[in-house]
Amino acid sequence: MSGPQFRLPADTLPDGRIDREAPLGFSFNGESFTGYAGDTLASALLAYGAFPLARSFKYHRPRGIFGAGAEEPNALVQLETGGYSQPNLRATQIELYGGLSAASVNAWPSVDFDLMRVNDWLSPIFPSGFYYKTFMGAGVGAGRWWRLFEPFIRRAAGFGRAPTAPDPDRYERMNAHCDVLVVGAGPAGLSAALAAANRGGRVILVDDQTEPGGDLLAGDRRIDDAPAMDWVAAALERLGAAPDATVLARTAVAGLYDDNFATAVESVGDRFGPGAPDHLPRLRLWRIRARQIVLATGAHERPYAFANNDTPGTMLGNAIRHYAGRYAVVPGRQALLGTDNDSAYRTALLLARAGIPVTLADARETPPSALADAARQAGVDVEAGCAISAVLGDRRVRGAKIGRVLPDGEISGALRPVEADLVGVSGGWNPALHLASHRGARPVWNEAQTCFVPDDLTALGLRTAGAVTGAGSLADCLEQGYAAGRDAARAAGRTKRTRKPDLKTDDGAAGAPIRPLWAVTGRQPGSRRGKAFVDLQNDVTVKDVALAARENYRSVEHLKRYTTLGMGTDQGKTANVIGLALMGVETGRSPEAVGTTTFRPPYTPVPFGALAGRDRGALFDPVRETPMFDWHAANGAVFEDVGQWKRPYAYRRDGESLEAAIGREVRAVRNAAGVMDASTLGKIDLKGPDVVTLLNRVYTNDWETLKVGRARYGLMCHEDGMIFDDGVTARLADDHYVMTTTTGNAVTVLNWLEMWLQTEWPELRVFATSVTEAWATATVAGPEARRLVSGLDSDIDWSDDAFPHMAVRTGTVLGAPARVFRVSFSGEASWEINVPAHCGPALWQALIDGGATPYGTEAMHVLRAEKGFIIVGQETDGTVTPHDLGMGWAVSKRKDFIGKRSWSRPDTARPDRKHLVGLLPLDSGTVLPEGGQIVADPEQEPPVTMLGHVTSSYKSPSLDGSFALALLKNGRNRMGDTVHVLRLDEGADAARVVAPAFYDKDGGRMRG
Amino acid sequence: MLLIRCPYCGLRDESEFSYGGEADIARPLEPETLTDAEWADYVFLRTNTKGRFREQWVHAHGCGRWFTLVRDTVTHAHGETGVFGGVEPEADG
């Protein structure tokens, strides 16, 4: 690549916003370049010429930079490499930093020689809807063809690549509140922010550019007979001096939501690249709640379509103005501008000042004389009534043809060649109404400006000002901005009076109305490559829109989906309006009648990292550890996650397999004594005179008869009659109970109680308080357990008479206040000792020193399953009633409670529902797969009749064989039958249906 | 994201609240006297209102209190709140 020959010499134009004293080296596709501080990647590349730097999505045609900001459809790049890499960033929005490295996307093997260009030459067989017609149609084998070709098609399409390494960066989140949020810091936005700040409001002004100014950054406008950027500097100074105004540059609002909530992404470390200082986050996600919002988001210029309008060197007219004025870059030696409105004249004058010969084709028969005269005086060749018909050249503009254009876009008469290597096109302006659309604004067609503008959203606290309203003159932008800022501050309660500034602008004499031109058609240079593009990012042509109309995809929603118009990452910022206007032309409707699709957040793509913020890795979710966690970790515990809790799954000794550890732990509980950390069980303190009434209503069994000092097991159902939690509740005093819940449901159950207490039974005098974390719980179980707890320093009488099964005692253990429940989930005599959390480690150590074997959750699962005790969420799944589990003993017939009535509904009352049963595999060495489907006949032709599934399945050290629990259709009436459980891969295992209890069926061990 | 006025705490972000569905669904006092259809209506069926809708919310990450709120299901405009079974609180914001 030769030097930056398209950077204007320093004295050509005022230098704009670049700093020639600060050169920055960077690389693109492996080649070295130099730009300046203040450049974007796009402007720095354009200084080397308008060469191809991308390949188009479908046809892989060479593409160059087309716009200057968020509207850019072509110049998508992959920024940097490795974990830092980001795909599909717009080169026009990447601020240049030293050492930047970027590459083209969607080109293989390279942007200069792209094999997929074959798609372009084969394009007659790739019309809109090609994939649907060929692969998705009803034709025989269409689906098979799709499967065959999909990998090829997926590779040929698509843009950048997702990074393959973890993101090394930090992202952060900021919450902010303000009276007035102003989006866009052009003349209207600055004016609005000043007005609101002057009223004393708390103001946040955000803008996605590197610095405020908006259109004024082009440097060719004047306010009060001075460069307009002087006014911008003064405005920023006044905002800086205001008591509570924040100006956020490099910050793009991504979405607007209910009640004026906005999300915005600020580039912080990002703009320094991978070498950013460590203390900076890469991006900062702002979550702004504003009382009022002013949208001064400006407008995007739209092109009109003509043959080969995608050739590198073809750009939006106003983008050329910005590159010239802001970055001192004109990527051509001779320019042709095509326009149907006044705005191209400023571009023409600026180029003329830079010494570039300009031809200006104005589609209007009579261009406004003041503008045309000024242009001609500056040496511009103004061609009235003419439009661009075609661009010549393939990888670079080599010339163009213009001709006289009829109102429908047809060219009449001979075409005239124009020498040019830079083509600018101005087809009018599309207000950037995306954010208003997020809040539900309906786009309204403004016939005079031929554009959609947002309707009035003042009632939602949302105002618009400037070009987003269709305003064209600088004076209107300033005036509307002031009014919107003032009114917004007033609506936010800021009533300080302000004086409207009186500013003189350089708008000049009144111009002439736009003559809307959507596409120039007719005599195109006979090349088969004379495509005229509507949507450059998704390769949608004028012909594609016509095809959609012919095939009756006329609704704007169908047009979008059939042609993919506007479905790219740019959401069709330059394409949508032309596309729907052309659809209108094809179908005899106005653009208003065709309508637009809805814009949804985000306005520009937001990296996932910004959304995730710090919520990743260790900070993704809180981790809860019990007071005894350190002991577990130091003694071989393998942890499992139960909700947010870390629970020991098993304790491995040196050289021991996990399976062996589980077997050893089970045998220790059955033959001696084990101790388990049960601190994670939910514990809810219930106090008040009406607790028993509450318990009677939320549990299925009876609580009137529970005496102080006793505990009872209960099942909770939802109103549909299905179990959702179980646990033991103990009565500590007349009006004081403590309820335990499953580990995972602790919060859910408390919320459930609160909902009923507050919304349905406010007359019940009950306080429900979570005390889960306040207590550490050690469960001691086994034939040796009594001997072990009796050895603890305690005032509790542990004898069977004084402390029988299902009793609760309070006292002291090791000098700490303790609550002890004699309950059993293992089937052995068992005591759950609760002490204040900080005393947990001491209690645990004392039990270990006394000879208890620590056991984990898996041993607990085996022990309880041998007894046929259920686990909510394992034996139940929200479709299971107590009767299904054979737990009718836990249901009271004498009272009403939540869920009871549902059991007499026909489906719940059926005798052949799925019942909890036990399964014994015929081969006692086979452990049936949990979740395995149960069938009567594994050889049955599909569809196979499913009878239920295995819920729990273990190898039992106590039973000398494997066993399982299962939910089986009509199971209680199948006792002794043989059923088959399908393996997860293939085959099935036979098993005999038995009662769901395998060990100590009369419960003598836990009582004794 | 809505800005919801908790009757006890004042204006707070929607993220502090949990949704509790349609308000004014009273639990039948004598469920056993209801037909299956009447019971199913209470348990399973809710109106799918287009427009103003009275619903229950709980200030889950705040004061923990349940209250009612009228919300327009089309526009998300929301208005009067109500409390359950007690005296109207004095909201501070």
Side-chain angles (χ1 to χ4, degrees):
Chain A
M1 196 67 65
S2 50
Q5 51 186 307
F6 295 95
R7 183 81 68 175
L8 298 173
D11 50 359
T12 320
L13 292 174
D15 245 353
R17 314 306 295 176
I18 57 162
D19 180 1
R20 290 188 195 246
E21 304 297 309
L24 301 171
F26 67 101
S27 79
F28 185 74
N29 285 342
E31 287 191 65
S32 295
F33 297 85
T34 306
Y36 295 114
D39 264 326
T40 62
L41 175 60
S43 65
L45 287 171
L46 282 173
Y48 289 78
F51 57 88
L53 47 67
R55 287 279 172 166
S56 72
F57 179 64
K58 183 172 167 186
Y59 299 123
H60 289 249
R61 287 163 67 103
R63 291 282 166 80
I65 293 158
F66 187 70
E71 77 283 2
E72 173 61 38
N74 287 341
L76 301 181
V77 302
Q78 185 99 21
L79 182 64
E80 302 295 345
T81 54
Y84 192 87
S85 185
Q86 274 198 65
N88 304 334
L89 294 179
R90 291 153 301 283
T92 54
Q93 291 191 300
I94 298 172
E95 188 173 351
L96 194 65
Y97 53 82
L100 180 147
S101 157
S104 300
V105 300
N106 199 32
W108 185 78
S110 80
V111 74
D112 290 324
F113 177 72
D114 184 332
L115 287 176
M116 302 313 296
R117 181 69 188 274
V118 68
N119 283 4
D120 189 19
W121 303 319
L122 295 178
S123 65
I125 67 164
F126 288 137
S128 276
F130 167 76
Y131 297 113
Y132 290 107
K133 287 169 179 166
T134 309
F135 296 114
M136 298 299 186
V140 177
R144 181 154 13 105
W145 279 106
W146 173 248
R147 280 191 293 279
L148 187 62
F149 281 104
E150 185 184 0
F152 170 77
I153 292 168
R154 295 275 180 228
R155 194 166 120 107
F159 294 120
R161 301 272 171 251
T164 49
D167 191 335
D169 277 291
R170 272 185 306 112
Y171 300 84
E172 67 180 34
R173 207 175 279 163
M174 184 77 98
N175 292 295
H177 295 258
C178 61
D179 292 313
V180 182
L181 168 67
V182 181
V183 185
L190 279 167
S191 185
L194 276 176
N198 286 345
R199 286 202 147 236
R202 183 192 283 189
V203 177
I204 298 178
L205 171 64
V206 298
D207 190 273
D208 63 352
Q209 297 280 310
T210 52
E211 57 178 323
D215 187 66
L216 305 180
L217 290 166
D220 59 351
R221 302 302 306 256
R222 294 180 75 77
I223 294 176
D224 280 350
D225 294 324
M229 287 306 291
D230 291 358
W231 175 82
V232 172
L236 290 172
E237 206 163 294
R238 278 158 62 202
L239 286 171
D244 205 347
T246 306
V247 180
L248 297 173
R250 303 181 174 92
T251 306
V253 173
L256 289 190
Y257 306 89
D258 287 310
D259 291 331
N260 281 347
F261 183 75
T263 55
V265 180
E266 181 186 9
S267 165
V268 190
D270 200 39
R271 67 190 175 94
F272 301 106
D278 279 346
H279 68 283
L280 296 179
R282 183 166 186 177
L283 301 171
R284 184 179 288 135
L285 181 74
W286 286 79
R287 299 151 45 91
I288 304 170
R289 180 72 78 173
R291 288 203 164 91
Q292 300 284 320
I293 293 179
V294 175
L295 293 181
T297 46
H300 297 130
E301 193 169 50
R302 66 180 179 237
Y304 60 79
F306 47 83
N308 296 325
N309 60 338
D310 64 333
T311 312
T314 311
M315 300 172 72
L316 290 169
N318 200 53
I320 293 176
R321 169 175 161 255
H322 268 262
Y323 285 116
R326 181 171 173 183
Y327 306 105
V329 169
V330 179
R333 301 289 180 224
Q334 256 189 307
L336 165 64
L337 301 177
T339 191
D340 61 359
N341 68 94
D342 291 349
S343 55
Y345 284 85
R346 280 194 197 282
T347 309
L349 288 175
L350 196 62
L351 290 178
R353 271 170 65 194
I356 307 288
V358 181
T359 304
L360 175 53
D362 190 330
R364 297 171 296 188
E365 287 298 331
T366 323
S369 56
L371 291 179
D373 291 350
R376 285 186 177 116
Q377 269 168 27
V380 175
D381 171 17
V382 179
E383 298 283 342
C386 287
I388 306 170
S389 167
V391 159
L392 309 176
D394 180 30
R395 297 169 39 78
R396 186 74 179 80
V397 173
R398 303 275 176 223
K401 291 185 177 177
I402 65 172
R404 295 199 58 80
V405 64
L406 299 172
D408 60 359
E410 191 90 11
I411 293 286
S412 78
L415 290 172
R416 196 199 112 187
V418 176
E419 276 186 42
D421 58 356
L422 177 64
V423 171
V425 56
S426 305
W429 294 86
N430 295 333
L433 44 72
H434 308 69
L435 295 178
S437 189
H438 295 179
R439 290 301 317 279
R442 196 173 54 86
V444 180
W445 184 249
N446 178 325
E447 186 63 44
Q449 307 287 344
T450 61
C451 63
F452 285 100
V453 296
D455 63 352
D456 184 16
L457 291 173
T458 312
L460 296 180
L462 204 69
R463 289 171 178 76
T464 51
V468 70
T469 70
S473 75
L474 180 53
D476 285 351
C477 289
L478 292 167
E479 176 126 0
Q480 287 182 5
Y482 172 81
R486 174 197 63 200
D487 294 349
R490 187 156 55 202
R494 302 294 178 172
T495 52
K496 196 168 139 193
R497 294 194 66 81
T498 52
R499 202 165 52 83
K500 183 176 152 190
D502 185 22
L503 298 170
K504 192 174 147 214
T505 62
D506 62 351
D507 288 312
I514 185 173
R515 173 199 158 174
L517 194 58
W518 309 113
V520 177
T521 54
R523 290 175 44 189
Q524 297 175 353
S527 160
R528 63 185 171 184
R529 274 176 283 163
K531 290 190 177 70
F533 287 91
V534 175
D535 185 331
L536 288 164
Q537 188 165 106
N538 274 0
D539 271 355
V540 180
T541 64
V542 174
K543 275 184 177 173
D544 290 330
V545 176
L547 178 70
R550 279 204 307 282
E551 301 201 340
N552 211 28
Y553 291 95
R554 297 175 175 217
S555 136
V556 65
E557 299 292 346
H558 290 157
L559 169 66
K560 169 180 167 177
R561 284 158 183 81
Y562 192 64
T563 64
T564 72
L565 172 75
M567 289 175 76
T569 61
D570 63 346
Q571 290 196 354
K573 289 181 175 72
T574 57
N576 285 349
V577 174
I578 313 175
L580 65 92
L582 286 171
M583 175 56 76
V585 171
E586 293 287 335
T587 56
R589 294 176 294 170
S590 71
E592 184 174 28
V594 176
T596 67
T597 53
T598 307
F599 293 106
R600 293 191 174 84
Y603 170 63
T604 47
V606 177
F608 283 117
L611 297 174
R614 301 283 179 100
D615 300 335
R616 52 185 280 200
L619 298 181
F620 176 67
D621 199 34
V623 172
R624 300 170 83 185
E625 297 171 355
T626 73
M628 289 83 100
F629 178 86
D630 289 346
W631 192 95
H632 305 322
N635 287 276
V638 177
F639 290 96
E640 72 165 334
D641 291 337
V642 181
Q644 293 167 335
W645 288 103
K646 295 282 177 202
R647 296 197 72 179
Y649 176 84
Y651 300 82
R652 278 170 83 161
R653 290 182 178 165
D654 286 342
E656 194 180 37
S657 73
L658 207 50
E659 193 185 326
I662 295 161
R664 175 179 51 73
E665 291 172 14
V666 169
R667 281 190 297 275
V669 175
R670 288 280 182 247
N671 302 325
V675 59
M676 185 184 69
D677 183 353
S679 307
T680 63
L681 281 186
K683 299 179 261 306
I684 299 170
D685 223 51
L686 297 169
K687 280 187 177 170
D690 297 319
V691 173
V692 70
T693 310
L694 175 69
L695 294 175
N696 265 334
R697 291 177 183 177
V698 298
Y699 275 130
T700 60
N701 51 347
D702 182 31
W703 293 83
E704 295 283 355
T705 52
L706 185 73
K707 296 186 175 64
V708 173
R710 301 293 296 182
R712 186 164 287 174
Y713 173 80
L715 285 168
M716 268 186 213
C717 293
H718 283 144
E719 275 298 26
D720 61 5
M722 305 303 162
I723 293 170
F724 94 98
D725 200 60
D726 70 344
V728 168
T729 296
R731 189 171 194 179
L732 300 177
D734 275 346
D735 58 354
H736 186 189
Y737 293 70
V738 59
M739 172 187 282
T740 60
T741 72
T742 57
T743 297
N745 265 346
V747 175
T748 313
V749 171
L750 181 66
N751 290 346
W752 176 249
L753 299 179
E754 277 292 335
M755 183 190 75
W756 287 101
L757 284 170
Q758 289 187 36
T759 68
E760 198 69 24
W761 307 316
E763 72 283 1
L764 293 187
R765 290 159 299 169
V766 176
F767 285 113
T769 309
S770 168
V771 294
T772 302
E773 288 90 347
W775 297 91
T777 309
T779 299
V780 190
E784 299 287 322
R786 176 178 288 106
R787 184 189 58 74
L788 210 151
V789 295
S790 300
L792 293 170
D793 175 14
S794 171
D795 60 359
I796 293 171
D797 182 348
W798 305 90
S799 71
D800 206 36
D801 293 339
F803 196 166
H805 186 57
M806 297 312 280
V808 57
R809 294 291 177 266
T810 55
T812 61
V813 172
L814 303 180
R819 293 171 174 174
V820 184
F821 297 67
R822 175 138 182 225
V823 293
S824 177
F825 198 40
S826 57
E828 303 296 330
S830 166
W831 288 264
E832 278 184 20
I833 306 173
N834 293 267
V835 292
H838 68 280
C839 302
L843 171 65
W844 185 265
Q845 190 63 54
L847 293 166
I848 296 292
D849 292 346
T853 301
Y855 67 101
T857 52
E858 188 61 10
M860 173 192 79
H861 282 192
V862 175
L863 291 161
R864 65 88 204 175
E866 289 174 351
K867 287 289 296 175
F869 292 158
I870 62 146
I871 289 185
V872 168
Q874 188 149 343
E875 272 64 53
T876 71
D877 60 2
T879 67
V880 178
T881 70
H883 303 287
D884 296 341
L885 298 180
M887 296 175 78
W889 53 268
V891 170
S892 166
K893 293 197 167 44
R894 291 184 304 166
K895 56 153 193 171
D896 182 37
F897 51 85
I898 292 170
K900 183 183 189 184
R901 173 65 184 81
S902 287
W903 296 339
S904 52
R905 299 176 68 240
D907 190 65
T908 343
R910 272 192 298 116
D912 62 344
R913 287 172 61 82
K914 285 179 187 169
H915 300 145
L916 182 72
V917 297
L919 293 181
L920 287 175
L922 298 190
D923 170 8
S924 66
T926 299
V927 179
L928 300 173
E930 289 185 352
Q933 292 292 318
I934 304 169
V935 299
D937 173 12
E939 304 301 322
Q940 186 188 345
E941 281 294 306
V944 180
T945 311
M946 302 292 183
L947 299 178
H949 69 279
V950 175
T951 58
S952 297
S953 179
Y954 308 97
K955 193 168 165 183
S956 165
S958 328
L959 304 177
D960 205 25
S962 58
F963 71 105
L965 297 172
L967 285 169
L968 177 65
K969 193 169 158 56
N970 200 24
R972 280 198 287 277
N973 301 315
R974 289 181 193 264
M975 289 298 152
D977 289 4
T978 297
V979 293
H980 301 268
V981 177
L982 300 180
R983 290 184 202 140
L984 300 184
D985 42 16
E986 58 180 75
D989 295 299
R992 191 158 49 84
V993 181
V994 297
F998 303 88
Y999 186 81
D1000 187 32
K1001 294 179 188 170
D1002 65 357
R1005 294 178 70 91
M1006 63 187 181
R1007 286 188 200 89
Chain B
M1 184 162 65
L2 298 175
L3 198 58
I4 294 173
R5 188 176 295 280
C6 168
Y8 302 90
C9 306
L11 283 172
R12 295 289 191 277
D13 271 352
E14 182 184 335
S15 57
E16 293 184 17
F17 298 84
S18 293
Y19 185 60
E22 185 177 4
D24 311 314
I25 307 292
R27 185 167 198 273
L29 293 175
E30 297 185 321
E32 301 302 324
T33 65
L34 266 53
T35 64
D36 282 348
E38 286 166 340
W39 179 252
D41 182 63
Y42 157 68
V43 177
F44 300 112
L45 301 180
R46 298 292 181 267
T47 57
N48 185 14
T49 303
K50 182 178 181 181
R52 284 166 59 84
F53 186 54
R54 229 168 86 90
E55 54 198 20
Q56 304 189 136
W57 289 77
V58 60
H59 195 183
H61 300 290
C63 63
R65 300 303 301 266
W66 285 85
F67 58 93
T68 62
L69 173 74
V70 174
R71 181 178 63 97
D72 190 303
T73 58
V74 178
T75 64
H76 273 196
H78 46 93
E80 58 268 41
T81 55
V83 301
F84 289 97
V87 182
E88 288 284 332
E90 288 176 33
D92 66 358

